[in-house]
Amino acid sequence: MTEYEHPYHIEVTAESFYLADQSDPDEGHYVFAYRITLRNVGSVSAQLVSRHWIITDGNGDVQEVRGLGVVGEHPELAPGEHFEYTSGCALPTPVGSMRGTYQMVAADGERFDAEIPEFALLVPNVLH
């Protein structure tokens, strides 16, 4: 069985953006937005119940964030459906990363995690 034939499989992709107009580098305040797309590539409907983020800044400091839903929603995805949302994160450094998991509940009651692959938070042209 390949991963795409698995009944419980949510594919997560992420894209990040630096928000210069909301940032203040002189004060060590860098704001990023990120767009997440969740796609149900499994064979069973599933609902997102909670999230667990691991956010690492450029100093190696780690912050963990847990909460219910995403942007006030608990999207339910039938096989083949997707859900997209945008949120944000502030860091004290111009470089960082985010990764984590979404906790899902399938229509048959099975609980499983959807992995959020690590993605970078970067101020443009900060790395040469």
Side-chain angles (χ1 to χ4, degrees), residues 6-123:
H6 195 282
Y8 314 109
H9 188 97
I10 303 293
E11 180 181 87
V12 181
T13 55
E15 186 178 8
S16 66
F17 312 90
Y18 174 59
L19 302 178
D21 60 330
Q22 295 181 33
S23 299
D24 187 350
D26 293 338
E27 295 294 321
H29 185 73
Y30 301 88
V31 179
F32 300 89
Y34 55 88
R35 182 182 307 117
I36 301 287
T37 304
L38 298 98
R39 184 174 310 279
N40 188 344
V41 295
S43 59
V44 178
S45 292
Q47 183 171 25
L48 187 153
V49 243
S50 60
R51 67 191 183 282
H52 175 209
W53 283 107
I54 300 167
I55 305 163
T56 307
D57 69 22
N59 299 321
D61 293 328
V62 176
Q63 177 185 0
E64 293 195 44
V65 177
R66 296 176 190 271
L68 297 176
V70 289
V71 294
E73 296 188 49
H74 294 85
E76 186 165 344
L77 302 172
E81 288 185 341
H82 74 280
F83 176 80
E84 184 177 285
Y85 75 94
T86 301
S87 191
C89 173
L91 294 179
T93 60
V95 206
S97 67
M98 293 179 69
R99 64 186 170 89
T101 51
Y102 294 116
Q103 292 69 53
M104 311 292 299
V105 177
D108 62 8
E110 182 74 23
R111 293 182 170 271
F112 66 99
D113 285 345
E115 184 177 340
I116 307 163
E118 187 168 28
F119 60 94
L121 303 171
L122 297 171
V123 172

